[in-house]
Amino acid sequence: MDYEESEDEIFSSDYFYYRNEGFSAFPDYLTIGTEYIEGGMLPYAVVIHLTYKDKESENVRIRHFLSDNNLDTSDTAGKFGEALAKLVEFINEQDIHTLASEQFRD
């Protein structure tokens, strides 16, 4: 399953040099290269992705908060709650306080 082996990784160092290259901003989004499914389906897992600035290296990192109950497609809301609980624990440990992090806490 995606993200089981890579819970936290370097996302980007673009913010160090994007202005030098003539850009006014850089994105913090990504896409997963999986096959498009017409009509969608219920997920086996829920993953919340958080980009944050690593205090030690100054790199922008991405952390993936994966639900635990991933054996079937039942209880999507419960899966979201599992991933959210992990995210809130992380932002509390890291003392992250942004508009978005406060929304997650709420």
Side-chain angles (χ1 to χ4, degrees):
M1 179 171 297
D2 293 338
Y3 308 113
E4 284 182 320
E5 301 299 320
S6 61
E7 180 179 277
D8 192 294
E9 56 195 319
I10 291 178
F11 178 71
S12 179
S13 59
D14 287 349
Y15 77 97
F16 284 129
Y17 56 84
Y18 71 93
R19 287 195 175 136
N20 295 340
E21 294 184 356
F23 296 103
S24 58
F26 68 95
D28 69 344
Y29 62 89
L30 60 119
T31 59
I32 299 173
T34 59
E35 184 178 325
Y36 174 76
I37 299 172
E38 183 72 36
M41 58 182 249
L42 292 173
Y44 277 80
V46 169
V47 182
I48 303 172
H49 310 280
L50 175 74
T51 55
Y52 67 99
K53 187 174 177 183
D54 182 14
K55 295 173 186 173
E56 293 179 22
S57 71
E58 296 296 306
N59 285 321
V60 176
R61 299 188 64 84
I62 186 164
R63 190 163 185 107
H64 314 286
F65 301 93
L66 177 64
S67 57
D68 296 315
N69 179 17
N70 303 324
L71 299 177
D72 59 35
T73 60
S74 67
D75 193 18
T76 303
K79 294 173 192 296
F80 179 79
E82 293 169 352
L84 180 62
K86 292 177 182 180
L87 184 151
V88 170
E89 180 180 350
F90 176 77
I91 61 176
N92 287 341
E93 289 171 358
Q94 296 295 310
D95 198 30
I96 296 172
H97 294 279
T98 64
L99 182 61
S101 68
E102 298 312 318
Q103 290 295 311
F104 282 123
R105 285 184 178 95
D106 287 345

